[in-house]
Amino acid sequence: MAEITASMVKELREKTDAPMMECKKALTEAAGDMDKAEEILRVKLGNKASKAAARVAAEGVVAIDIRADGKLGSILEINSETDFVAKNDEFLKLAADCTHLVSSQNPADVAALSALPLGEGTVESTRTALVGKIGENMSLRRFVRNEAKGRLASYIHGGAKIGVLVDVVGGDDQLGKDLAMHIAASRPKSLDASGVPAELLDTERRIAIEKAREAGKPEAMLEKIAEGTVQKYLKDVTLLGQVFVKAEDGKQTIEQLLKSKGASVAGFTLYVVGEGIEKKVTDFAAEVAAQAAAAAGNK
């Protein structure tokens, strides 16, 4: 009997998008023959999942689960290829089920979540079956499970395209809602300056120095100008430094708001669907022309 290695299973999974256990079974049945194993899977699972697996899933939804006491919750992003499928009831149920599993089972990562029991199989087999049924790629991208120091508040915006989970210590429910809404609108990169990557600050400093130099500012002033630019940048990208979106005077910062309420923010998670995923831009007219040309060439 041929030895079925982990790398063989991984290769077949990448080609077919089938569950890992199904890939191993198919390879065993095919005595290690990759092509034959792929045929076995396509007989069992159909070829929709295989075709869909190569396509970019950059749409989708953010799902949030908060337990009744507000002390435990999770936020998860699941992607699809189109916004149409992101509104599909079965897709939304998968998102909700997975988020509940994150809260209750505390998986270490997406792979661990995918292996958890769901329905008559696992999260992964459920996902794969739905891919095969709909004919569109979908993938679990990321999640965070939060055991709050205070109470969790959340906000979902734009058809679940933006989701926020924030841990607020002190204050009341309205403050939590306001903070979550502010985060969704202003998209801070971190809670305070300590969470901003040093490379981002270095970039802002370099740009400021070059701009000042091109404007003819004295060399002796460049570092001071750069430092002022960095401080302004930090106010723009840190939650505590940002001006509260509902501030009546247009000046009150989140830090000042929290101080007035005797509250603080222990942390937050902001997910924007598809953020950082390179979406494929299709020129439909060019695609049709290319298909027509190919068809003509085959005559």
Side-chain angles (χ1 to χ4, degrees), residues 99-144:
T99 313
H100 293 159
L101 282 172
V102 171
S103 293
S104 62
Q105 301 299 316
N106 193 20
D109 50 29
V110 170
L113 171 59
S114 298
L116 290 175
L118 180 63
E120 297 180 356
T122 64
V123 168
E124 176 61 12
S125 66
T126 302
R127 183 197 69 84
T128 303
L130 192 55
V131 171
K133 180 178 179 180
I134 295 176
E136 181 171 311
N137 194 18
M138 55 191 71
S139 59
L140 295 166
R141 186 184 184 197
R142 52 183 174 169
F143 63 80
V144 167

Side-chain angles (χ1 to χ4, degrees), residues 5 15 36 39-40 63 70-71 131 189 203 231 236 242 246 270 274 286 293:
T5 65
K15 290 177 68 177
K36 186 175 179 181
E39 289 180 8
I40 291 170
K71 301 294 289 184
V131 171
K189 294 184 181 297
T203 298
Q231 291 306 313
D236 290 340
Q242 289 177 339
K246 292 175 67 175
L270 165 66

Side-chain angles (χ1 to χ4, degrees), residues 8-25:
M8 292 169 66
V9 174
K10 181 175 182 292
E11 181 181 349
L12 184 58
R13 174 172 160 71
E14 289 174 349
K15 290 177 68 177
T16 65
D17 202 42
M20 296 186 79
M21 288 305 299
E22 292 296 328
C23 290
K24 186 174 182 179
K25 289 177 183 177

Side-chain angles (χ1 to χ4, degrees), residues 23-178:
C23 290
K24 186 174 182 179
K25 289 177 183 177
L27 282 164
T28 301
E29 186 177 337
D33 186 314
M34 190 66 65
D35 292 336
K36 186 175 179 181
E38 186 175 352
E39 289 180 8
I40 291 170
L41 284 175
R42 288 181 173 174
V43 169
K44 289 182 177 180
L45 304 176
N47 63 1
K48 287 184 178 180
S50 177
K51 291 178 179 178
R55 299 197 293 264
V56 175
E59 293 293 338
V61 295
V62 176
I64 292 176
D65 170 60
I66 298 179
R67 296 306 159 97
D69 62 0
K71 301 294 289 184
L72 174 66
S74 301
I75 180 170
L76 173 144
E77 178 185 352
I78 181 171
N79 299 123
S80 59
E81 290 181 53
T82 64
D83 187 50
F84 180 78
V85 167
K87 297 173 182 176
N88 177 279
D89 287 342
E90 290 181 275
F91 179 80
L92 293 173
K93 184 178 185 304
L94 176 62
D97 288 344
C98 288
T99 313
H100 293 159
L101 282 172
V102 171
S103 293
S104 62
Q105 301 299 316
N106 193 20
D109 50 29
V110 170
L113 171 59
S114 298
L116 290 175
L118 180 63
E120 297 180 356
T122 64
V123 168
E124 176 61 12
S125 66
T126 302
R127 183 197 69 84
T128 303
L130 192 55
V131 171
K133 180 178 179 180
I134 295 176
E136 181 171 311
N137 194 18
M138 55 191 71
S139 59
L140 295 166
R141 186 184 184 197
R142 52 183 174 169
F143 63 80
V144 167
R145 182 179 185 270
N146 193 323
E147 294 185 33
K149 293 180 179 179
R151 280 180 61 85
L152 294 172
S154 66
Y155 180 67
I156 292 285
H157 180 74
K161 300 302 180 187
I162 301 173
V164 175
L165 191 64
V166 55
D167 182 357
V168 186
V169 180
D172 54 20
D173 288 345
Q174 186 59 51
L175 177 63
K177 291 177 182 178
D178 285 344

Side-chain angles (χ1 to χ4, degrees), residues 178-192:
D178 285 344
L179 288 169
M181 185 179 294
H182 171 93
I183 292 167
S186 300
R187 302 190 187 185
K189 294 184 181 297
S190 67
L191 177 61
D192 54 30

